[in-house]
Coordinates of all heavy atoms in Angstrom, one line a residue:
F115 N 9.3 1.3 -7.9 CA 9.2 1.6 -6.5 C 9.1 3.2 -6.3 O 8.5 3.6 -5.4 CB 10.4 1.1 -5.8 CG 10.5 -0.4 -5.8 CD1 11.6 -1.1 -6.5 CD2 9.5 -1.2 -5.3 CE1 11.6 -2.5 -6.5 CE2 9.5 -2.6 -5.3 CZ 10.6 -3.2 -5.9
E116 N 9.8 3.9 -7.1 CA 9.7 5.4 -7.0 C 8.3 5.8 -7.2 O 7.7 6.7 -6.4 CB 10.6 6.1 -8.1 CG 10.6 7.6 -8.0 CD 11.5 8.2 -9.0 OE1 12.4 7.5 -9.5 OE2 11.2 9.4 -9.4
E117 N 7.6 5.3 -8.2 CA 6.1 5.7 -8.4 C 5.3 5.2 -7.3 O 4.3 5.9 -6.8 CB 5.7 5.2 -9.8 CG 6.3 5.8 -11.0 CD 7.7 5.3 -11.3 OE1 8.2 4.5 -10.5 OE2 8.2 5.6 -12.4
A118 N 5.5 4.0 -6.8 CA 4.7 3.4 -5.7 C 4.9 4.2 -4.5 O 3.9 4.5 -3.7 CB 5.2 2.0 -5.4
I119 N 6.1 4.6 -4.1 CA 6.4 5.4 -3.0 C 5.6 6.8 -3.1 O 5.0 7.2 -2.1 CB 7.9 5.7 -2.8 CG1 8.6 4.4 -2.3 CG2 8.2 6.8 -1.8 CD1 10.1 4.4 -2.4
A120 N 5.6 7.4 -4.2 CA 4.9 8.6 -4.4 C 3.4 8.5 -4.1 O 2.8 9.3 -3.4 CB 5.1 9.2 -5.8
D121 N 2.8 7.4 -4.6 CA 1.4 7.2 -4.4 C 1.1 6.9 -2.9 O 0.1 7.4 -2.3 CB 0.9 6.0 -5.3 CG 0.5 6.4 -6.6 OD1 0.5 7.7 -6.9 OD2 0.2 5.6 -7.5
Y122 N 1.9 6.1 -2.3 CA 1.7 5.7 -0.9 C 1.9 7.0 0.0 O 1.1 7.1 1.0 CB 2.7 4.6 -0.4 CG 2.5 3.3 -1.1 CD1 3.5 2.4 -1.3 CD2 1.2 2.8 -1.5 CE1 3.3 1.2 -1.9 CE2 1.0 1.6 -2.1 CZ 2.1 0.8 -2.3 OH 1.9 -0.4 -2.9
R123 N 2.8 7.8 -0.3 CA 3.0 9.1 0.5 C 1.8 10.0 0.3 O 1.3 10.6 1.3 CB 4.3 9.8 0.0 CG 5.5 9.1 0.5 CD 6.7 10.1 0.5 NE 7.9 9.5 0.9 CZ 8.3 9.3 2.1 NH1 7.5 9.6 3.1 NH2 9.5 8.7 2.4
A124 N 1.2 10.0 -0.9 CA 0.0 10.8 -1.1 C -1.2 10.3 -0.2 O -1.9 11.1 0.3 CB -0.4 10.8 -2.6
V125 N -1.3 9.0 -0.2 CA -2.3 8.4 0.7 C -2.1 8.7 2.1 O -3.0 9.1 2.9 CB -2.3 6.8 0.5 CG1 -3.2 6.2 1.5 CG2 -2.9 6.5 -0.9
L126 N -0.9 8.6 2.6 CA -0.6 8.8 4.0 C -0.7 10.3 4.4 O -0.9 10.6 5.6 CB 0.8 8.3 4.4 CG 0.9 6.8 4.3 CD1 2.4 6.4 4.4 CD2 0.2 6.2 5.6
K127 N -0.6 11.2 3.4 CA -0.8 12.6 3.7 C -2.2 12.9 4.1 O -2.4 13.8 5.0 CB -0.4 13.4 2.4 CG -0.4 15.0 2.7 CD 0.2 15.7 1.5 CE 0.3 17.2 1.8 NZ 0.9 17.9 0.7
V128 N -3.1 12.2 3.6 CA -4.6 12.4 4.0 C -5.0 11.4 5.0 O -6.1 11.5 5.7 CB -5.5 12.4 2.8 CG1 -5.1 13.6 1.9 CG2 -5.5 11.1 2.0
S129 N -4.3 10.3 5.1 CA -4.7 9.2 6.1 C -3.4 8.8 6.9 O -2.9 7.7 6.7 CB -5.3 8.0 5.4 OG -6.4 8.3 4.6
P130 N -2.9 9.7 7.7 CA -1.6 9.4 8.3 C -1.6 8.3 9.4 O -0.6 7.8 9.8 CB -1.3 10.8 9.0 CG -2.6 11.4 9.2 CD -3.4 11.0 8.0
N131 N -2.8 7.8 9.8 CA -2.9 6.8 10.8 C -3.3 5.5 10.2 O -3.8 4.6 10.9 CB -3.9 7.2 12.0 CG -3.4 8.4 12.7 OD1 -2.2 8.5 13.0 ND2 -4.3 9.3 13.0
D132 N -3.1 5.3 8.9 CA -3.5 4.1 8.2 C -2.3 3.1 8.3 O -1.3 3.3 7.6 CB -3.9 4.4 6.8 CG -4.2 3.2 6.0 OD1 -4.4 2.1 6.6 OD2 -4.3 3.2 4.8
P133 N -2.4 2.0 9.0 CA -1.2 1.1 9.1 C -1.0 0.4 7.8 O 0.2 0.1 7.5 CB -1.7 0.1 10.2 CG -3.1 0.2 10.3 CD -3.5 1.6 9.9
V134 N -2.0 0.2 7.0 CA -1.7 -0.5 5.7 C -0.9 0.4 4.8 O 0.0 0.0 4.1 CB -3.1 -0.9 5.0 CG1 -2.9 -1.4 3.6 CG2 -3.9 -1.9 5.9
G135 N -1.2 1.7 4.8 CA -0.5 2.6 4.0 C 1.0 2.6 4.4 O 1.9 2.6 3.5
W136 N 1.3 2.6 5.7 CA 2.7 2.7 6.2 C 3.4 1.3 5.8 O 4.5 1.3 5.5 CB 2.7 2.9 7.7 CG 2.5 4.3 8.0 CD1 1.4 4.8 8.6 CD2 3.4 5.4 7.8 NE1 1.5 6.2 8.8 CE2 2.7 6.6 8.3 CE3 4.6 5.6 7.2 CZ2 3.3 7.9 8.2 CZ3 5.2 6.8 7.1 CH2 4.5 8.0 7.7
N137 N 2.6 0.2 5.9 CA 3.2 -1.1 5.6 C 3.5 -1.1 4.1 O 4.7 -1.6 3.7 CB 2.2 -2.2 5.9 CG 2.7 -3.6 5.6 OD1 3.7 -4.1 6.2 ND2 2.1 -4.2 4.5
N138 N 2.6 -0.7 3.3 CA 2.9 -0.6 1.8 C 4.1 0.3 1.5 O 4.9 0.0 0.6 CB 1.7 -0.2 1.1 CG 0.6 -1.2 1.0 OD1 0.7 -2.3 1.7 ND2 -0.5 -0.9 0.4
L139 N 4.1 1.5 2.1 CA 5.2 2.4 1.9 C 6.6 1.7 2.3 O 7.5 1.8 1.6 CB 5.0 3.6 2.7 CG 6.2 4.7 2.6 CD1 6.4 5.1 1.2 CD2 5.9 5.9 3.5
G140 N 6.5 1.0 3.4 CA 7.8 0.3 3.9 C 8.3 -0.7 2.9 O 9.4 -0.9 2.6
N141 N 7.3 -1.5 2.4 CA 7.6 -2.5 1.4 C 8.3 -1.9 0.2 O 9.2 -2.4 -0.4 CB 6.4 -3.3 1.0 CG 6.0 -4.3 2.1 OD1 6.8 -4.6 3.0 ND2 4.7 -4.7 2.1
A142 N 7.6 -0.8 -0.3 CA 8.2 -0.2 -1.5 C 9.6 0.4 -1.3 O 10.5 0.3 -2.1 CB 7.2 0.9 -2.0
Q143 N 9.8 1.0 -0.1 CA 11.1 1.6 0.2 C 12.1 0.4 0.3 O 13.2 0.6 -0.1 CB 11.0 2.3 1.6 CG 10.2 3.6 1.5 CD 9.9 4.3 2.8 OE1 9.6 3.5 3.8 NE2 9.8 5.6 2.8
M144 N 11.7 -0.7 0.9 CA 12.6 -1.8 1.0 C 13.0 -2.3 -0.5 O 14.2 -2.6 -0.7 CB 12.0 -3.0 1.8 CG 12.9 -4.2 2.0 SD 12.3 -5.3 3.3 CE 10.6 -5.4 3.2
G145 N 12.0 -2.4 -1.4 CA 12.3 -2.8 -2.7 C 13.2 -1.8 -3.4 O 14.1 -2.2 -4.3
A146 N 13.2 -0.5 -3.0 CA 14.1 0.5 -3.6 C 15.5 0.5 -2.9 O 16.3 1.3 -3.3 CB 13.4 1.9 -3.5
G147 N 15.6 -0.3 -1.9 CA 16.9 -0.3 -1.2 C 17.0 0.7 -0.1 O 18.2 0.9 0.4

Side-chain angles (χ1 to χ4, degrees):
F115 298 117
E116 181 180 337
E117 291 83 351
I119 289 169
D121 276 354
Y122 294 149
R123 287 198 181 281
V125 169
L126 289 167
K127 189 171 183 178
V128 297
S129 300
N131 295 320
D132 179 12
V134 175
W136 284 108
N137 180 69
N138 288 4
L139 176 60
N141 285 339
Q143 289 168 327
M144 184 162 38

